[in-house]
């Protein structure tokens, strides 16, 4: 259901947002534009009323025990209560896996031998140290360039030496210029399946529109801005 409808507080909201009547077909139908989220119309129509009722029912505060359980689940991945609730509403699953793109967590530079040299800010190290859930680093070769298997193993060892073995796996998403969104999403789902990680329980952190589309196409449980995650 998500947070797609806000409470309307303006005293004249019904008048301001009422649809203009279509007289003799003079008013053309309005098409959804860029940025439209597919939610209900912002008016007092029957659809809008039904959406508000469904939204209020979905976000009704559950019993205290359930709230505490969701908060514990969220804290394990550094998320908030609304994040885990959104995943439950959309997919019916509890989030358990965090996918963190390597280039968002570290400053990446190439060594002379072709490997990667990493540098992480102290606040990033502190955030990762507080995690208690499954953490996968996503190596997107479109951002870092290709690495052979030996270099990836050394990289994972280097990361776990810095973060006390918090990273369970390094998932490599190969870069192929002709790949479609669906093909990249299929590869990501295959990588998660190899790690016995249900895709609906995974959270992808990111910043770009391409990462948002990757999370949606792969059917992941949640996408969250990496900037919001680090600042929480």
């Amino acid at each position: 259901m998500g947070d797609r409808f806000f409470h309307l507080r303006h005293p004249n909201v019904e008048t301001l947002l009422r649809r203009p009547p279509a007289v003799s077909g003079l008013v053309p139908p309005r098409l959804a534009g860029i940025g439209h989220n597919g939610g209900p119309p912002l008016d007092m129509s029957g659809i809008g009323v039904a959406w508000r009722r469904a939204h209020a029912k979905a976000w009704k505060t559950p019993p205290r025990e359930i709230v505490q359980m969701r908060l514990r689940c969220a804290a394990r991945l550094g998320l908030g209560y609304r994040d885990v609730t959104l995943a439950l509403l959309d997919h019916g699953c509890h989030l358990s896996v965090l996918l963190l793109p390597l280039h968002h967590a570290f400053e990446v530079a190439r060594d002379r031998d072709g490997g990667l040299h990493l540098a992480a800010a102290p606040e990033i190290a502190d955030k990762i140290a507080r995690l208690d859930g499954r953490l996968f680093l996503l190596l997107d070769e479109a951002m870092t360039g290709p690495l052979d298997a030996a270099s990836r193993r050394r990289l994972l060892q280097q990361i776990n030496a810095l973060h006390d073995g918090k990273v369970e796996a390094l998932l490599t998403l190969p870069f192929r210029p002709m790949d479609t969104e669906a093909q990249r999403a299929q590869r990501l789902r295959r990588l998660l399946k190899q790690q016995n990680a249900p895709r609906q329980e995974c959270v992808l952190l990111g910043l770009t529109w391409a990462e948002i589309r990757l999370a949606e196409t792969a059917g992941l449980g949640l996408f969250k801005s990496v900037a919001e995650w680090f600042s929480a």
Side-chain angles (χ1 to χ4, degrees):
M1 184 64 61
D3 196 8
R4 299 176 179 170
F5 213 89
F6 298 93
H7 294 291
L8 305 175
R9 303 177 184 275
H10 196 282
N12 297 327
V13 67
E14 291 195 32
T15 303
L16 293 173
L17 299 181
R18 191 179 301 277
R19 292 180 178 178
V23 180
S24 301
L26 296 179
V27 179
R30 292 177 295 177
L31 300 178
I34 296 175
H36 197 287
N37 69 349
L42 297 179
D43 57 19
M44 296 299 110
S45 67
I47 296 177
V49 172
W51 269 85
R52 281 191 293 278
R53 288 178 178 174
H55 177 275
K57 182 178 180 180
W59 286 99
K60 183 179 179 181
T61 303
R64 180 177 179 179
E65 295 78 9
I66 296 178
V67 173
Q68 291 175 339
M69 180 186 66
R70 292 181 184 177
L71 287 173
R72 288 194 298 269
C73 176
R76 296 181 65 217
L77 298 177
L79 302 173
Y81 174 83
R82 294 188 67 84
D83 297 324
V84 297
T85 305
L86 278 172
L88 280 171
L89 291 174
D90 289 340
H91 300 281
C93 294
H94 289 281
L95 300 175
S96 62
V97 181
L98 197 68
L99 295 176
L100 176 59
L102 183 71
H103 56 278
H104 288 322
F106 301 91
E107 294 182 5
V108 182
R110 283 280 180 177
D111 293 333
R112 292 182 178 180
D113 60 357
L116 293 182
H117 176 72
L118 305 178
E123 58 270 17
I124 294 177
D126 292 339
K127 183 75 174 183
I128 293 177
R130 294 196 298 269
L131 295 179
D132 192 31
R134 303 179 70 186
L135 174 61
F136 297 156
L137 285 184
L138 186 62
L139 176 63
D140 190 347
E141 291 187 345
M143 303 299 299
T144 62
L147 285 178
D148 57 28
S151 298
R152 292 196 296 268
R153 285 193 297 270
R154 290 196 302 269
L155 182 62
L156 181 59
Q157 292 172 357
Q158 179 185 354
I159 294 170
N160 276 327
L162 294 173
H163 297 290
D164 298 326
K166 287 284 187 177
V167 180
E168 183 175 332
L170 182 66
L171 308 184
T172 302
L173 197 60
F175 173 64
R176 297 174 183 172
M178 302 304 294
D179 273 359
T180 64
E181 288 181 352
Q183 289 172 325
R184 282 174 57 83
Q186 185 178 10
R187 289 194 178 91
L188 179 57
R189 288 196 298 265
R190 191 180 301 119
L191 291 171
L192 294 173
K193 187 175 182 180
Q194 292 172 357
Q195 301 295 329
N196 294 319
R199 57 186 174 86
Q200 296 92 343
E201 298 181 10
C202 296
V203 185
L204 177 63
L205 303 177
L207 287 174
T208 66
W209 176 248
E211 290 167 333
I212 296 175
R213 291 294 302 154
L214 177 63
E216 291 179 349
T217 309
L220 303 186
L222 184 71
F223 174 87
K224 187 173 180 66
S225 166
V226 69
E228 293 181 3
W229 185 75
F230 277 128
S231 62

